[in-house]
Amino acid sequence: MIHSLFLINASGDIFLEKHWKSVVSRSVCDYFFEAQERASEAENVPPVIPTPHHYLLSVYRHKIFFVAVIQTEVPPLFVIEFLHRVVDTFQDYFGVCSEVMIKDNVVVVYEVLEEMLDNGFPLATESNILKELIKPPTILRTVVNTITGSTNVGDQLPTGQLSVVPWRRTGVKYTNNEAYFDVIEEIDAIIDKSGSTITAEIQGVIDACVKLTGMPDLTLSFMNPRLLDDVSFHPCVRFKRWESERILSFIPPDGNFRLLSYHVSAQNLVAIPVYVKHNISFRDGSSLGRFEITVGPKQTMGKTIEGVMVASQMPKGVLNMSLTPSQGTHIFDPVTKLLSWDVGKINPQKLPSLKGTMSLQAGASKPDENPTINLQFKIQQLAISGSSATDECHCRWP
């Protein structure tokens, strides 16, 4: 399975390495560095890189490359999912996953990695099980370990590790029993200048925070589960019941976890909740152009649109832009030709707009096409798909 793991920062320095089987030389990362040089951005580095004797599989998160080295062919998504689980575990242990934090807690990092993989194969990947095996670092525990020479390794095997529910520890007790489910959806759409949707799709996840006593058995149903495609579940979900009844039945882990992720195709998509009106014009033989955009809400069911960001890649012939926003701040980079407008929150009574002129190169021909406009936004307590809002949640203690 996985022979070695290398952590590489944005500068190309290997600041941590871990080997489970034979030691793999750092020189194997030269193939990764070559692919990194060919990529325009860090996110564009190929996730799978073949070499004469190894395969390099990597993920890029928090400005760190997590590069796994394997010698035989394995399902690449299996390794990539494990690397994401490593990052999530570090973030859960240390609060943030950064180079500085990993270096400051290097002993705990090695202890956690040793438990997550056994001879290169995944063993314990659930956070609550790992926290019983390896205690999370605290200031007091660090001082005690420094004085006594002890480690963060637990004295006994976690109670849930050998049970049929390995993701949940036994003997959980809470004074206040509560469970929270956050439905997070990201919509990716392309809209033409007339406002018609060309293509659109939704990627959604349901994150849960469950703090319940004992061994609860939860049942979660949806308003319209048939719209969900490519559903990926946490191991706690009973898949057969989902297949037959489209109901989530599960014994949850203790604490925070991702219950499922899903996809909604364009055929089942409801209306886009925002609209953009624009007037971008270039005149032949003139060194000036007109730029005007307005952003407004549409079918938000009374919810506020916030965190609105507008970005537009202008043509190379645009030298500068003189714009006035009705709200927010804007920046135009004359080198990259990127216009960014931080709108913030949309007030339906006074729609935000950005108006002004563009300075063009003298004698330059009129651009063949208008620039594209990228819009990012957030809407709290609104599921765009119309299917992922939970209808009922039942809890039963055996």
Side-chain angles (χ1 to χ4, degrees):
M1 188 57 183
I2 299 178
H3 282 67
S4 301
L5 175 67
F6 295 95
L7 269 59
I8 305 174
N9 59 21
S11 302
D13 300 324
I14 302 174
F15 65 91
L16 187 139
E17 59 183 280
K18 168 67 178 171
H19 306 280
W20 284 273
K21 295 186 177 181
S22 58
V23 176
V24 178
S25 173
R26 286 190 173 194
S27 60
V28 73
C29 294
D30 292 342
Y31 296 96
F32 175 82
F33 295 140
E34 292 176 1
Q36 186 180 9
E37 290 179 359
R38 291 192 296 267
S40 57
E41 297 179 358
E43 292 81 0
N44 296 334
V45 176
V48 181
I49 302 174
T51 72
H53 303 289
H54 303 87
Y55 291 93
L56 305 181
L57 292 91
S58 65
V59 298
Y60 180 71
R61 291 180 59 181
H62 306 291
K63 299 182 179 180
I64 300 174
F65 287 101
F66 293 77
V67 183
V69 181
I70 60 176
Q71 289 186 343
T72 57
E73 286 196 24
V74 298
L77 290 179
F78 188 80
V79 180
I80 291 174
E81 176 62 27
F82 174 78
L83 293 177
H84 282 294
R85 188 65 64 90
V86 170
V87 180
D88 294 339
T89 301
F90 288 170
Q91 194 163 4
D92 192 24
Y93 260 76
F94 312 129
V96 294
C97 181
S98 64
E99 179 182 355
V100 174
M101 191 61 67
I102 291 175
K103 288 181 177 179
D104 290 343
N105 299 275
V106 66
V107 175
V108 178
V109 168
Y110 277 110
E111 291 172 344
V112 169
L113 290 176
E114 193 65 38
E115 296 296 338
M116 295 187 73
L117 280 185
D118 180 23
N119 198 31
F121 291 87
L123 178 61
T125 58
E126 289 296 331
S127 181
N128 50 46
I129 296 297
L130 285 169
K131 286 182 178 179
E132 289 191 70
L133 289 166
I134 309 297
K135 302 299 181 183
T138 61
I139 297 177
L140 179 59
R141 188 173 290 126
T142 302
V143 172
V144 172
N145 291 345
T146 303
I147 297 175
T148 62
S150 57
T151 65
N152 292 334
V153 179
D155 298 330
Q156 53 187 347
L157 191 68
T159 52
Q161 184 73 359
L162 301 178
S163 71
V164 294
V165 190
W167 52 83
R168 184 176 181 87
R169 57 190 176 93
T170 59
V172 180
K173 293 183 180 181
Y174 288 100
T175 304
N176 297 320
N177 292 285
E178 54 189 11
Y180 298 97
F181 297 91
D182 291 332
V183 181
I184 304 171
E185 293 186 340
E186 295 183 358
I187 180 172
D188 189 2
I190 299 177
I191 303 174
D192 61 16
K193 62 182 180 180
S194 63
S196 302
T197 302
I198 299 175
T199 179
E201 61 181 12
I202 289 176
Q203 300 291 341
V205 298
I206 297 182
D207 290 335
C209 178
V210 178
K211 297 182 179 180
L212 300 173
T213 301
M215 197 69 68
D217 199 326
L218 303 185
T219 302
L220 192 67
S221 59
F222 296 87
M223 295 178 62
N224 194 352
R226 299 292 176 182
L227 297 181
L228 307 183
D229 299 325
D230 300 331
V231 185
S232 176
F233 300 102
H234 188 277
C236 69
V237 176
R238 299 182 179 97
F239 184 65
K240 287 187 177 180
R241 186 168 182 185
W242 169 262
E243 278 192 317
S244 59
E245 305 177 36
R246 282 297 188 265
I247 291 178
L248 291 179
S249 177
F250 57 98
I251 297 176
D254 180 44
N256 300 304
F257 66 99
R258 176 154 294 176
L259 182 61
L260 81 158
S261 60
Y262 58 89
H263 171 81
V264 178
S265 59
Q267 291 80 3
N268 301 320
L269 192 63
V270 296
I272 308 298
V274 295
Y275 68 87
V276 177
K277 292 183 178 180
H278 59 88
N279 180 19
I280 304 174
S281 59
F282 302 94
R283 300 172 186 163
D284 289 324
S286 175
S287 60
L288 291 177
R290 184 68 184 171
F291 185 93
E292 179 179 346
I293 58 175
T294 302
V295 183
K298 181 176 65 175
Q299 298 184 11
T300 61
M301 290 184 276
K303 306 297 182 181
T304 302
I305 302 177
E306 54 189 11
V308 180
M309 292 285 297
V310 179
S312 181
Q313 185 68 50
M314 305 306 295
K316 294 181 179 180
V318 177
L319 298 178
N320 207 342
M321 303 184 72
S322 177
L323 304 174
T324 302
S326 62
Q327 75 174 63
T329 58
H330 76 284
I331 298 175
F332 175 72
D333 190 338
V335 178
T336 61
K337 311 299 181 184
L338 180 64
L339 171 65
S340 300
W341 179 25
D342 186 354
V343 181
K345 186 182 298 184
I346 293 182
N347 182 3
Q349 280 70 39
K350 187 179 180 181
L351 299 180
S353 62
L354 183 65
K355 303 178 181 179
T357 58
M358 299 176 288
S359 300
L360 309 177
Q361 286 182 353
S365 60
K366 177 182 176 182
D368 297 331
E369 298 178 352
N370 279 336
T372 58
I373 299 174
N374 298 319
L375 180 67
Q376 297 181 5
F377 60 91
K378 295 180 181 179
I379 305 178
Q380 301 287 347
Q381 300 178 350
L382 176 65
I384 301 298
S385 64
S387 64
S388 55
T390 54
D391 185 23
E392 299 178 38
C393 180
H394 303 283
C395 180
R396 176 174 63 84
W397 279 267

